[in-house]
């Protein structure tokens, strides 16, 4: 079913689809007038509603988390529809199979798939509706179809000078038969696509009007704060709520299974109540798990049996002679730490349930809430919202399930807000990864390449039909389709689920790990072979002209090869992931103590046809900062079965005073649109690590970057 | 009952005086533009103005506010600096998910009201307390300069 759905996506092979389908995130992020009841004299498909009041409402199949997708999706629909974009109204899609993401086969936003997956379906939806409007007008005027044209929500018959607005003809258009194969515009006729269009969601975000899930305020709402068992897999033992209940405004204390919640007149009172509780946790089997043990288990697993994800050429022969290089790369657990903490508002009655939350998977929210409260799915209404950062975290729905279980015990609607500490300590974490990689070099070229990826199989849990033959297509994404002509290649995967710690998709997904490994190792080999890292990459890119072009452009625009002051270095990364081709040069400085200053990032980006150029640049800028943050600071560690970090004081974020200058150069392209939300994140860590090597001569094979290693206080 | 002066209007709130202004605004008054991000003065999402100074509302018990003037994101557009910042934010398309941006705009508006042409160091000092997880920093810097030049 997934493959069937997938094969409908134009321009991507089934294998690519499965591959990218695995990839998860998310991205993240209107005066979009959000319409509540679209007037719909004409509703030709799931995406378009035209009222006789001339209002064109577009229903957004993908959620807005900051990635500008409402504007991009709206542009694609409006361009083929020839609608007046200024006057278009956008609406969040409800849970419905009409909004299934063709790449995933579920209603989900992530993996930088939105434009890639919906490009053709949305163009067809727009073109089909336009054809019906034209047919209606032509019929009314008794003129030839071909003599009518459209512009800005008006059908025009030039010969007679007649015009009719879409609204006035909507009722008649609704009686027309949709064309089987609507004629799509040719690229040169696009009026919106490819032009910088102002985002529709941002005006309401400048004056506090935008509603996120956390802002839902159904009448009579009560406020709850939640404490989940701090030990993974533990449960509530005993709760003494005497002190909490004595606090004025505390209304109820509820303990369910693995969490305790306090319901009160404000979130503040609920938090105070939580702090006043005396809870004894039943710590369960993981009470002694720590990071050292988790790493040891991962390393041991990496030595065990593996499945072959790809094998080409004769790897054995390639390694029989020539220069031989080996390295191991390791990446840590990471939290999502979206700025909007987890939250969900639920109103349960015995006949119906209503849910308010911002989700990348609103259909799954509805389904899982229905299951847990024991109501038929049609009795559960799930309202989606603007999302204050997803990054993959909101591809999960377990928070809604907890909120619904609590709501079953509360009279009236209840809003559950996870405090930052709870959000950080009860995440689904970017898994840790171990990579063993070897290369054989002859005559200055890599001719043999093996890469064994060991880590969690997120796909096996999140999209089981896509987990086949023991291969997690996300975990090896970027490794099985590495961009260079290494000829003799073997890629292996070992599934190793970390002890106790739940894992999930995180912006940049599998390619973060695989391109960090590939691009720092290739860089190391270039240096050890005494070849310039750009020249070395170009030697292996004759079969990959799009990547070759971005590497050349990034080198040129960054002034590659020009001299830099002492202790400053330049590093490059190249990647073909998420359907886009990108090369990034990073300039960084390291002082004697190992402190790092990232000065500048220059990227060349070929992401195929660009819908909204400024959005592409913004996503790449933001993705870079996200990736640099993780490379410089990000690591979740475990002690006694608990996450040790809790808030932004001990899980550090890059701030404005540390942010580099960023230049993004777009290469014009007529290829199928690629994804962009993840790409900056994937690009940043290898470019930075390579720059730090150039600055110091220290090779970093583990993230986050250890200042002690950089300063020589600790061995690499 | 405590009376707060918010965006030029008196508002009565009937919650305990130790309640941080953040939660009084959001939960008692339904003014949800001011955001919760960390609760420990680390992220700036909750920034409002108190007599024109940027403050973290998650750290400010309403019992301590008195008659001082509170300005929130819902009202900052009626100040000269606030309006300029909001316009520059849109002109340069700063915003991504937007969740941090109420706080960013409040910090930037306070900076601009105090320094007509802030340099990079001024911007770092005024804005480093505001985290943006979507990574909009490059545009925030450019937009503050643009607003200053307007
Ligand atoms: S919520 Fe107040 S500084 Fe983060
Ligand atoms: S715009 Fe999303 S956190 Fe700043």
């Amino acid at each position: 079913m997934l493959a069937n759905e997938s094969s409908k996506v134009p321009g991507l092979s089934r294998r690519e689809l499965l591959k990218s389908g695995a990839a998860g995130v998310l991205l993240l992020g209107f005066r979009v007038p959000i319409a509540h009841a679209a007037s719909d004299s004409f509703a030709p498909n799931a995406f378009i509603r035209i009222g006789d009041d001339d209002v064109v409402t577009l229903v957004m199949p993908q959620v807005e988390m900051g990635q500008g997708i409402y504007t991009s999706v709206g542009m694609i629909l409006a361009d083929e529809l020839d609608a007046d974009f200024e006057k278009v109204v956008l609406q969040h899609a409800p849970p419905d199979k009409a909004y299934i993401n063709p790449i995933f086969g579920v209603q989900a936003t992530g993996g930088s798939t939105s434009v890639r997956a919906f490009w053709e379906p949305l163009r067809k939806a727009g073109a089909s509706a336009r054809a019906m409007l034209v047919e209606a007008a032509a019929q009314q005027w008794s003129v030839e179809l071909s003599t009518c044209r459209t512009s800005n929500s008006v059908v025009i018959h030039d010969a007679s000078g007649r015009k009719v607005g879409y609204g006035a003809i909507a009722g008649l258009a609704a009686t027309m038969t949709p064309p089987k194969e609507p004629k799509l515009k040719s690229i040169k006729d696009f009026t919106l696509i490819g032009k910088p269009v102002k985002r529709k969601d941002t005006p309401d975000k400048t004056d506090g009007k935008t509603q996120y899930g956390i802002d839902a305020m159904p009448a009579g709402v009560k406020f709850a704060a939640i404490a989940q068992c701090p030990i993974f897999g533990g449960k509530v033992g005993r709760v003494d709520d005497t002190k909490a209940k004595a606090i004025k405004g505390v209304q109820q204390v509820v303990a369910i299974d693995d969490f305790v919640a306090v319901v009160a007149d404000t979130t503040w009172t609920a938090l105070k109540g939580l702090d006043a509780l005396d809870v004894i946790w039943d710590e369960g089997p993981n009470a002694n798990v720590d990071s050292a043990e988790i790493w040891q288990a991962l390393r041991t697993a990496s030595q065990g049996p593996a499945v072959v994800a790809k094998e080409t050429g004769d790897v054995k022969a390639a390694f029989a002679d020539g220069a031989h290089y080996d390295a191991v790369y390791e990446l840590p657990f990471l939290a999502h730490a979206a700025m909007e903490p987890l939250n969900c508002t639920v109103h349960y009655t015995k006949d119906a349930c209503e849910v308010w939350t911002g989700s990348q998977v609103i259909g799954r929210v509805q389904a899982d809430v229905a299951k847990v409260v024991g109501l038929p799915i049609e009795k559960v209404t799930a309202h989606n919202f603007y999302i204050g950062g997803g990054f993959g975290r909101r591809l999960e729905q377990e928070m809604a399930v907890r909120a619904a279980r609590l709501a079953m015990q509360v009279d009236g609607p209840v809003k559950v807000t996870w405090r930052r500490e709870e959000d950080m300590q009860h995440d689904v974490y970017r898994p840790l990864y171990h990579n063993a990689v070897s290369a054989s070099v002859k005559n200055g070229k890599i001719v043999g390449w093996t890469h064994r990826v060991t880590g969690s199989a997120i796909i096996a849990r999140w999209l089981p039909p896509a987990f086949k033959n023991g291969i997690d297509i996300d975990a090896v994404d970027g490794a099985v389709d590495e961009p260079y002509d290494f000829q003799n290649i073997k890629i292996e995967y070992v599934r190793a689920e970390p002890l106790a710690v739940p894992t999930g998709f995180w912006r940049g997904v599998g390619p973060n790990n695989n391109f960090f490994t590939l691009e720092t190792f290739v860089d190391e080999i270039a240096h050890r072979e005494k070849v310039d890292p750009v020249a070395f990459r170009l030697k292996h890119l004759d079969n990959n002209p799009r990547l070759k072009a971005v590497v050349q452009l990034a080198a040129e625009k960054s002034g590659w090869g020009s001299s830099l002051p002492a202790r400053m270095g330049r590093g490059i990364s190249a990647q073909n992931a998420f359907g886009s081709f990108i090369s990034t040069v990073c300039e960084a400085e390291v002082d004697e103590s190992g402190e790092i200053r990232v000065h500048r990032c220059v990227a060349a980006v070929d992401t195929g046809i660009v819908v909204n150029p400024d959005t592409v640049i913004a996503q790449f800028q933001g993705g870079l900062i996200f990736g640099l943050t993780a490379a410089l600071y990000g690591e979740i560690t475990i002690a006694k079965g608990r996450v040790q970090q809790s808030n932004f004081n001990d899980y550090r974020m890059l701030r404005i005073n540390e942010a580099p200058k960023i230049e993004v150069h777009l290469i014009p392209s007529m290829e199928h649109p690629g994804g962009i939300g993840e790409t900056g994140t994937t690009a940043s860590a290898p470019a930075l690590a390579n720059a730090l090597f150039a600055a110091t001569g220290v090779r970093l094979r583990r993230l986050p970057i250890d200042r002690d290693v950089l300063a020589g206080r600790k061995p690499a | 009952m405590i009376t707060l002066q918010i965006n030029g209007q008196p508002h009565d709130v009937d919650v305990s005086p130790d309640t941080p202004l953040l939660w009084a605004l959001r939960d008692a008054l339904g003014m949800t533009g001011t955001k919760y991000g960390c609760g420990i003065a680390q992220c700036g999402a909750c920034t409002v103005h108190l007599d024109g100074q940027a403050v973290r509302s998650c750290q400010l018990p309403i019992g301590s506010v008195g008659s001082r003037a509170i300005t929130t994101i819902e009202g900052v557009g009626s100040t000269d600096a606030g309006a300029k910042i909001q316009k520059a934010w849109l002109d340069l398309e700063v915003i991504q998910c937007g969740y941090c941006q109420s706080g960013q705009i409040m910090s930037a508006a306070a900076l601009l009201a105090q320094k007509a042409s802030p340099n990079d160091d001024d911007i770092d000092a005024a804005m480093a307390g505001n985290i943006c997880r979507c990574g909009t920093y490059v545009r925030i810097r450019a937009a503050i300069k643009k607003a200053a030049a307007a």
Side-chain angles (χ1 to χ4, degrees):
Chain A
M1 180 207 120
L2 174 69
N4 278 343
E5 290 291 340
S6 299
S7 60
K8 291 183 196 149
V9 180
L12 290 179
S13 70
R14 178 165 172 272
R15 191 185 66 81
E16 280 178 309
L17 281 172
L18 288 176
K19 178 202 78 185
S20 55
V25 182
L26 1 304
L27 310 193
L28 339 213
F30 251 136
R31 190 162 304 241
V32 182
I34 280 294
H36 288 293
S39 102
D40 54 353
S41 312
F42 178 42
N45 50 55
F47 307 108
I48 296 173
R49 309 276 175 267
I50 302 178
D52 46 19
D53 52 3
D54 245 1
V55 174
V56 176
T57 302
L58 303 178
V59 186
M60 300 287 109
Q62 297 283 277
V63 297
E64 180 60 62
M65 320 181 254
Q67 77 280 42
I69 201 63
Y70 272 23
T71 309
S72 304
V73 158
M75 286 167 72
I76 299 171
L77 281 166
D79 205 320
E80 290 287 356
L81 180 61
D82 264 342
D84 181 350
F85 196 61
E86 293 282 301
K87 298 206 191 107
V88 153
V89 172
L90 307 180
Q91 192 178 34
H92 303 305
D96 192 299
K97 60 182 182 326
Y99 306 108
I100 282 176
N101 179 321
I103 288 182
F104 297 117
V106 297
Q107 188 173 350
T109 306
S112 299
T113 60
S114 300
V115 170
R116 285 187 286 166
F118 282 96
W119 171 245
E120 193 151 311
L122 292 176
R123 288 182 67 194
K124 284 187 174 158
S128 171
R130 179 188 161 277
M132 293 164 79
L133 289 156
V134 170
E135 199 182 346
Q139 205 176 83
Q140 194 168 65
W141 297 330
S142 307
V143 300
E144 275 296 310
L145 261 184
S146 62
T147 60
C148 298
R149 65 184 177 92
T150 52
S151 173
N152 274 334
S153 297
V154 178
V155 187
I156 302 160
H157 184 246
D158 287 312
S160 63
R162 274 177 291 193
K163 290 181 183 183
V164 61
Y166 283 3
I169 203 77
L172 187 57
T175 66
M176 302 290 135
T177 315
K180 278 219 170 54
E181 271 306 318
K183 195 169 158 341
L184 301 180
K185 283 186 177 178
S186 66
I187 289 171
K188 66 170 181 11
D189 295 329
F190 285 149
T191 52
L192 291 164
I193 294 166
K195 318 255 176 335
V197 169
K198 283 282 168 202
R199 279 176 56 169
K200 290 225 162 222
D201 58 329
T202 46
D204 274 359
K205 289 176 174 176
T206 63
D207 58 12
K209 282 199 190 68
T210 297
Q211 296 249 304
Y212 301 83
I214 202 167
D215 303 326
M217 282 283 189
V221 72
K222 296 172 178 172
F223 301 91
I226 180 171
Q228 294 178 227
C229 180
I231 304 105
F232 292 112
K235 294 204 177 324
V236 178
R238 241 173 342 99
V239 182
D240 178 350
D241 61 10
T242 326
K243 280 184 276 177
K245 284 210 166 132
I247 296 171
K248 185 166 169 274
V250 167
Q251 297 160 349
Q252 213 178 334
V253 177
V254 180
I256 302 173
D257 213 2
D258 66 348
F259 71 89
V260 191
V262 175
V263 182
D265 59 346
T266 65
T267 307
W268 170 251
T269 313
L271 288 167
K272 274 200 300 183
L274 216 49
D275 290 339
L277 288 177
D278 232 328
V279 186
I280 301 193
W281 301 102
D282 169 0
E283 302 199 340
N286 298 318
N288 291 314
V289 171
D290 65 15
S291 284
E293 186 184 3
I294 294 171
W295 276 112
Q296 194 46 51
L298 185 76
R299 290 169 190 146
T300 304
S302 75
Q303 312 281 329
V307 286
V308 175
K310 171 180 177 164
E311 189 161 16
T312 57
D314 186 341
V315 173
K316 215 169 166 189
F319 278 90
D321 53 5
H324 193 149
Y325 298 95
D326 302 295
V328 167
Y329 293 85
E330 291 183 340
L331 278 77
F333 285 127
L334 295 170
H336 295 85
M339 283 310 292
E340 180 189 4
L342 293 185
N343 63 85
C344 184
T345 302
V346 182
H347 186 191
Y348 169 82
T349 65
K350 66 181 187 342
D351 315 306
C353 189
E354 209 167 345
V355 183
W356 296 262
T357 196
S359 178
Q360 294 171 255
V361 284
I362 197 69
R364 286 184 170 183
V365 166
Q366 181 195 33
D368 280 19
V369 167
K371 217 179 292 166
V372 74
V373 302
L375 284 171
I377 197 159
E378 60 279 7
K379 296 287 181 202
V380 176
T381 310
H383 306 276
N384 213 347
F385 283 79
Y386 285 105
I387 294 180
F391 313 117
R393 182 62 181 97
R394 290 181 164 94
L395 283 167
E396 308 290 336
Q397 64 276 9
E398 98 289 345
M399 64 300 257
V401 171
R402 281 204 178 77
R405 293 180 75 190
L406 172 64
M408 290 179 81
Q409 306 203 23
V410 176
D411 189 22
V414 58
K415 167 151 62 180
V416 190
T417 304
W418 275 250
R419 67 163 72 174
R420 171 62 60 195
E421 292 80 359
E422 286 288 316
D423 175 294
M424 192 165 286
Q425 298 186 335
H426 299 283
D427 203 344
V428 288
Y429 299 88
R430 196 291 297 274
L432 29 72
Y433 290 104
H434 179 280
N435 301 274
V437 59
S438 299
S440 173
V441 178
K442 278 181 223 171
N443 305 321
K445 278 189 79 172
I446 294 174
V447 295
W449 181 266
T450 65
H451 180 176
R452 175 182 280 216
V453 183
T454 303
S456 172
I458 303 168
I459 288 289
R461 173 181 64 83
W462 195 85
L463 198 61
F467 182 67
K468 296 200 189 101
N469 307 321
I471 298 168
D472 186 275
I473 47 187
D474 170 52
V476 297
D477 190 2
V480 290
D481 40 12
E482 54 75 29
Y484 301 111
D485 55 349
F486 293 156
Q487 297 164 30
N488 306 294
I489 300 166
K490 185 171 182 181
I491 310 296
E492 295 174 305
Y493 173 63
V494 179
R495 180 179 182 183
E497 298 302 334
L499 291 169
V501 181
T503 60
F505 295 122
W506 189 93
R507 188 178 195 176
V509 286
N512 280 344
N513 175 55
N514 294 318
F515 280 102
F516 178 69
T517 302
L518 170 70
E519 281 300 290
T520 44
F521 193 43
V522 164
D523 206 78
E524 175 167 350
I525 295 167
H527 281 283
R528 287 168 69 176
E529 291 280 321
K530 305 203 174 3
V531 183
D532 172 78
V534 168
F536 190 69
R537 282 175 175 79
L538 291 175
K539 274 207 229 186
H540 298 84
L541 284 174
D542 284 339
N543 300 329
N544 197 340
R546 292 177 75 186
L547 196 62
K548 191 170 188 172
V550 289
V551 168
Q552 285 166 327
L553 186 64
E556 177 202 321
K557 297 288 184 187
S558 65
W560 187 264
S562 62
S563 68
L564 287 170
R567 302 200 65 85
M568 250 182 91
R570 231 179 244 126
I572 191 164
S573 71
Q575 68 192 47
N576 55 330
F578 313 105
S580 295
F581 296 77
I582 293 173
S583 181
T584 308
V585 173
C586 176
E587 270 175 30
E589 182 178 3
V590 183
D591 72 14
E592 301 288 341
S593 71
E595 274 317 302
I596 297 161
R597 171 93 215 172
V598 184
H599 287 273
R600 177 175 175 237
C601 294
V602 180
V605 173
D606 170 1
T607 182
I609 294 175
V610 166
V611 176
N612 199 356
D614 189 55
T615 294
V616 166
I617 291 169
Q619 276 300 291
F620 193 80
Q621 292 171 329
L624 265 180
I625 298 285
F626 200 88
L628 288 174
T629 302
L632 288 168
Y633 305 120
E635 179 163 22
I636 290 290
T637 56
I638 311 294
K640 293 188 183 307
R642 307 157 202 250
V643 168
Q644 292 183 285
Q645 294 68 29
S646 62
N647 204 321
F648 297 124
N649 56 333
D650 53 15
Y651 190 71
R652 189 168 163 186
M653 296 289 131
L654 194 88
R655 293 172 183 269
I656 194 170
N657 56 314
E658 308 161 283
K661 296 196 170 67
I662 301 173
E663 283 169 42
V664 182
H665 302 275
L666 294 181
I667 291 194
S669 166
M670 290 293 125
E671 302 282 344
H672 190 275
I676 199 70
E678 332 274 333
T679 57
T681 301
T682 297
S684 52
L688 174 62
N690 293 337
L692 296 175
F693 174 81
T696 63
V698 176
R699 191 47 81 176
L700 297 156
R701 297 196 188 85
R702 195 179 189 287
L703 293 178
I705 289 153
D706 187 334
R707 275 64 171 178
D708 288 336
V709 171
L710 264 190
R713 292 187 292 266
K714 220 165 97 178
Chain B
M1 191 75 81
I2 291 174
T3 304
L4 298 169
Q5 299 296 329
I6 306 169
N7 302 327
Q9 299 288 328
H11 290 265
D12 294 335
V13 277
D14 189 13
V15 294
S16 73
D18 68 340
T19 305
L21 177 60
L22 168 67
W23 297 113
L25 288 169
R26 291 183 54 80
D27 293 357
L29 295 169
M31 297 176 69
T32 55
T34 304
K35 299 301 191 216
Y36 165 63
C38 70
I40 59 166
Q42 284 286 316
C43 78
C46 65
T47 305
V48 300
H49 296 173
L50 195 61
D51 281 344
Q53 302 287 326
V55 296
R56 307 295 181 229
S57 67
C58 69
Q59 302 298 308
L60 188 68
I62 54 170
S64 71
V65 173
S67 59
R68 287 180 287 176
I70 298 161
T71 310
T72 70
I73 189 68
E74 289 90 349
V76 75
S78 57
T79 69
D80 188 41
K84 280 186 184 166
I85 290 289
Q86 286 171 327
K87 180 171 184 314
W89 247 238
L90 291 175
D91 287 347
L92 296 188
E93 230 33 307
V94 169
I95 299 173
Q96 294 192 25
C97 84
Y99 192 83
C100 75
Q101 298 292 345
S102 296
Q104 305 281 2
I105 288 169
M106 295 308 289
S107 290
L111 167 65
L112 196 63
Q114 270 141 37
K115 275 212 157 93
S117 350
N119 62 26
D120 282 329
D121 290 342
D122 299 328
I123 293 172
D124 283 349
M127 303 302 296
N130 288 79
I131 294 172
C132 176
R133 190 66 170 134
C134 297
T136 63
Y137 299 130
V138 177
R139 293 181 185 219
I140 287 174
R141 184 180 301 281
I144 292 174
K145 291 182 180 171
K146 185 168 171 129

